[in-house]
Amino acid sequence: MTKICALIPSYNVAKTIGPIVRELRSRDLDVLVVDDGSTDSTSLTAGKSGAAVLRNEVNCGKGASLRRGFQYVVDKGYDAAVTIDGDGQHLPEDVEKFLKAQTLNPEAGLIIGNRMQCPAGMPLSRLLTNRVMSGFISRLCRQHIPDSQNGFRLIKSRILKALKLKSSRFEIESEIILEAAKMGAQIISIPISAVYKGHPSSISPLLDTVRFIRFSLPYLGFCNRSQGNGSKG
């Protein structure tokens, strides 16, 4: 039986983290919350809801939290990690779609949620930024990645063990894809829902697009693989 850990990088999400953890636990998933220096009761609420908790004493960024969580997943012998945000913008029940997809596509090393088939409610600036970034990532990887900035993913541990991740902040989403493609992993996408509740995004469309392009340029020429799903990884 596949052993999967749900990994939730979190910062000041005490109001939303409890129901997410409980929903994931109700589906027999182990849950790890990496609290990135929250100033509220995120850690306490997550622990009471059934999650294992690692806490960064200061805010280190989403990328740093994910890298710490990935090491935990590998060290504990899990077969895969499902990453999901803790602010309520992902529906935890959609985890079943990832579990089904990894059963039907055992060769896939990375499965990414896709909100772009029905992006209703996504702020226009985020929609346009995501399309630009996803198009660029797809060209670099020679694989179709319609929603490259989506943090709801399933990543096989065989990929996690080989990833050479350095990012500490939001560019981690792109770095994971590019590094996985660089090693020849097959990347697939599955449709999921998204929820927008009006809270502000931490992403600056213009500034983060510039940072993203600058970050991605060193990968030009590395991801030279045929268009389509790619090789097994």
Side-chain angles (χ1 to χ4, degrees):
M1 183 177 180
T2 303
K3 185 180 178 184
I4 296 177
C5 179
L7 168 58
I8 312 177
S10 303
Y11 178 67
N12 287 346
V13 291
K15 293 181 179 180
T16 55
I17 193 67
I20 295 172
V21 171
R22 289 192 293 272
E23 178 67 28
L24 294 169
R25 292 288 294 139
S26 74
R27 298 171 188 276
D28 295 325
L29 291 176
D30 292 343
V31 180
L32 171 67
V33 169
V34 181
D35 181 355
D36 193 23
S38 294
T39 57
D40 65 5
S41 60
T42 292
S43 288
L44 180 63
T45 303
K48 286 184 175 180
S49 299
V53 177
L54 297 177
R55 177 174 167 79
N56 299 332
E57 291 305 316
V58 297
N59 184 263
C60 300
K62 183 177 183 179
S65 296
L66 282 173
R67 288 192 286 114
R68 187 177 183 187
F70 290 154
Q71 190 61 57
Y72 175 97
V73 168
V74 170
D75 290 345
K76 296 294 184 180
Y78 288 99
D79 298 302
V82 172
T83 61
I84 178 173
D85 290 348
D87 60 3
Q89 288 198 35
H90 299 144
L91 296 180
E93 53 264 38
D94 275 351
V95 73
E96 294 292 346
K97 298 178 181 179
F98 289 89
L99 301 181
K100 181 178 180 180
Q102 64 95 26
T103 299
L104 296 176
N105 303 274
E107 71 283 357
L110 173 59
I111 303 172
I112 303 174
N114 177 19
R115 302 161 294 182
M116 307 309 283
Q117 289 185 347
C118 186
M122 181 181 288
L124 181 60
S125 60
R126 294 179 66 180
L127 176 63
L128 295 177
T129 300
N130 197 355
R131 289 199 186 280
V132 169
M133 292 181 173
S134 297
F136 192 62
I137 287 285
S138 296
R139 290 179 68 85
L140 281 176
C141 295
R142 307 287 182 176
Q143 302 192 59
H144 181 49
I145 316 291
D147 192 2
S148 66
Q149 302 310 296
N150 193 347
F152 204 172
R153 305 172 171 192
L154 185 148
I155 312 171
K156 299 288 183 65
S157 287
R158 68 175 185 266
I159 300 299
L160 292 178
K161 292 175 183 177
L163 287 177
K164 307 294 184 183
L165 300 176
K166 300 177 181 178
S167 299
S168 294
R169 301 200 178 275
F170 289 106
E171 62 268 27
I172 191 77
E173 313 289 17
S174 300
E175 186 181 28
I176 289 170
I177 296 172
L178 291 168
E179 285 291 322
K182 186 177 174 181
M183 71 176 68
Q186 180 178 348
I187 303 170
I188 65 173
S189 298
I190 60 171
I192 63 166
S193 305
V195 181
Y196 296 95
K197 299 180 179 179
H199 42 67
S201 171
S202 300
I203 297 177
S204 170
L206 179 58
L207 182 58
D208 282 294
T209 298
V210 172
R211 287 174 175 167
F212 159 78
I213 293 174
R214 185 172 57 193
F215 164 80
S216 301
L217 288 177
Y219 287 92
L220 287 170
F222 284 119
C223 301
N224 294 321
R225 301 169 56 241
S226 59
Q227 186 69 34
N229 285 335
S231 62
K232 298 180 180 180

